[in-house]
Amino acid sequence: MLSILANRQDAGADNMTSDTGDAEKTADFTTDISSPNTDSTESNHDQIDLIPVITQPSGPLVQGQSIHGTGNFVQGSEFILRRSGVPVSGNFQRGDSWRFTPTTFSPGNWVVTAEQIVNGWSPGQSPPCSFTVIPPKVVITLPSSPVEQNQVITCTDVWLWDPPKILDTANRPVPGKFTPTGTGTSWTFAPNPPWEPGNRTIKAVQTVNGMDSIPSECSFTVRPLPPDITNPGVVWTPKPTLSGTGLAGAIVTLHRHLDINTVYATVEVRSNGHWTTPLTTALPMDDPFNMTAKQMLNGMTSKWAENTGFP
């Protein structure tokens, strides 16, 4: 029969190789093969012991993760993992149990078998093991809150040249434009229309070969863009009527430049994005007078608008 002597030589990986020869090669176990008798039952039992066993994954796997299993390995033998009968390139290692990390873990349905070849002889392949491989989780990079309405976000760990999907909390697509950064695995996303002011949560999901990645969520706050003030030209009254544009429903407050304590007028932006209001506080005798403004919407306040100077 076959007598297997599990004499540990090293605490590292086995001296197993993948079918491509690119696996790590270190010593771990030796096995002495002898045939003191020819009892078929014992011989078949020992032959089965040389067939690697694949541990069923508990869930979907992703690129960079490994397939695990157990088994008895002969020193100098070759380990082969096959997907649907085709050898898979990767790295084979073992400690208390073996693991195989495919070089490319492409998303999709996988059916694999494991086998070791001893001096050109195979005791057989393991039973097929089926599992799914999903794309990696997208990483969203965003500056600290609050962000501007036109803030661009960066998505990394994207599968090759396919951009991910940006979704809201109701899983509806967020409209915008993706632009690759040049590596094919990193993209920028510019919202169009701009982000709505307030608290926002988005998700990034990529789909490859019909498989969706685990959604990655990102929460942030958005402040409105500053309102615009239309220059009135020369004014002849200390309380002129001013106008400009802003976000529909926002509250615009007008201030003198560098004087945030004095409010010269407060007005709500109409649904068409325009506002008009007479000043409620008289202008001082400045030439020119520098007016600025800010707007508040959904609890978020914008930065100051650019100064508008008029005599």
Side-chain angles (χ1 to χ4, degrees):
M1 67 176 180
L2 299 177
S3 176
I4 301 173
L5 306 179
N7 299 320
R8 182 175 295 276
Q9 293 182 338
D10 195 309
D14 277 330
N15 187 20
M16 301 293 104
T17 62
S18 70
D19 59 289
T20 60
D22 60 353
E24 183 175 333
K25 299 178 181 180
T26 55
D28 186 28
F29 280 77
T30 61
T31 303
D32 180 32
I33 302 179
S34 59
S35 300
N37 64 62
T38 59
D39 184 273
S40 61
T41 301
E42 294 186 15
S43 178
N44 289 338
H45 172 73
D46 289 337
Q47 178 174 324
I48 293 174
D49 283 345
L50 291 176
I51 299 175
V53 177
I54 302 175
T55 301
Q56 179 68 44
S58 59
L61 301 178
V62 299
Q63 176 74 22
Q65 292 186 326
S66 302
I67 301 167
H68 294 261
T70 58
N72 300 306
F73 294 95
V74 177
Q75 184 178 16
S77 65
E78 178 185 11
F79 177 87
I80 300 177
L81 186 95
R82 290 183 171 87
R83 178 190 182 189
S84 301
V86 179
V88 177
S89 172
N91 182 271
F92 176 80
Q93 292 179 303
R94 72 159 292 162
D96 295 332
S97 60
W98 62 263
R99 70 176 184 268
F100 183 85
T101 307
T103 302
T104 301
F105 224 168
S106 58
N109 295 311
W110 282 59
V111 179
V112 299
T113 59
E115 177 184 16
Q116 73 166 315
I117 307 298
V118 183
N119 297 325
W121 168 75
S122 171
Q125 297 183 12
S126 66
C129 179
S130 300
F131 54 88
T132 58
V133 177
I134 61 176
K137 190 175 181 179
V138 177
V139 177
I140 303 175
T141 303
L142 193 71
S144 300
S145 292
V147 302
E148 303 299 330
Q149 286 187 266
N150 55 1
Q151 177 65 57
V152 172
I153 65 173
T154 300
C155 298
T156 56
D157 285 357
V158 180
W159 188 265
L160 299 179
W161 291 99
D162 292 325
K165 295 173 290 188
I166 302 297
L167 309 173
D168 62 15
T169 53
N171 291 323
R172 295 171 300 199
V174 177
K177 180 182 179 181
F178 277 101
T179 303
T181 62
T183 63
T185 59
S186 179
W187 295 71
T188 58
F189 176 79
N192 185 21
W195 303 112
E196 183 74 14
N199 296 317
R200 296 287 166 260
T201 297
I202 59 172
K203 297 185 289 185
V205 177
Q206 58 179 331
T207 303
V208 181
N209 297 334
M211 298 291 176
D212 287 339
S213 66
I214 296 174
S216 53
E217 288 194 0
C218 179
S219 297
F220 52 95
T221 56
V222 182
R223 62 186 168 202
L225 292 171
D228 290 321
I229 303 173
T230 301
N231 195 314
V234 179
V235 297
W236 301 101
T237 173
K239 294 182 180 181
T241 295
L242 299 183
S243 61
T245 59
L247 297 175
I251 302 299
V252 174
T253 55
L254 299 176
H255 297 258
R256 182 183 182 184
H257 178 52
L258 299 180
D259 182 7
I260 63 174
N261 295 318
T262 303
V263 177
Y264 285 82
T266 299
V267 60
E268 182 176 349
V269 181
R270 299 189 296 272
S271 60
N272 62 0
H274 292 266
W275 58 265
T276 302
T277 182
L279 299 189
T280 55
T281 300
L283 297 175
M285 297 300 292
D286 281 348
D287 188 7
F289 182 88
N290 289 309
M291 182 72 74
T292 185
K294 59 183 178 181
Q295 63 180 335
M296 184 173 67
L297 182 65
N298 298 334
M300 300 298 297
T301 302
S302 71
K303 289 183 176 181
W304 292 104
E306 292 187 7
N307 293 330
T308 299
F310 49 87

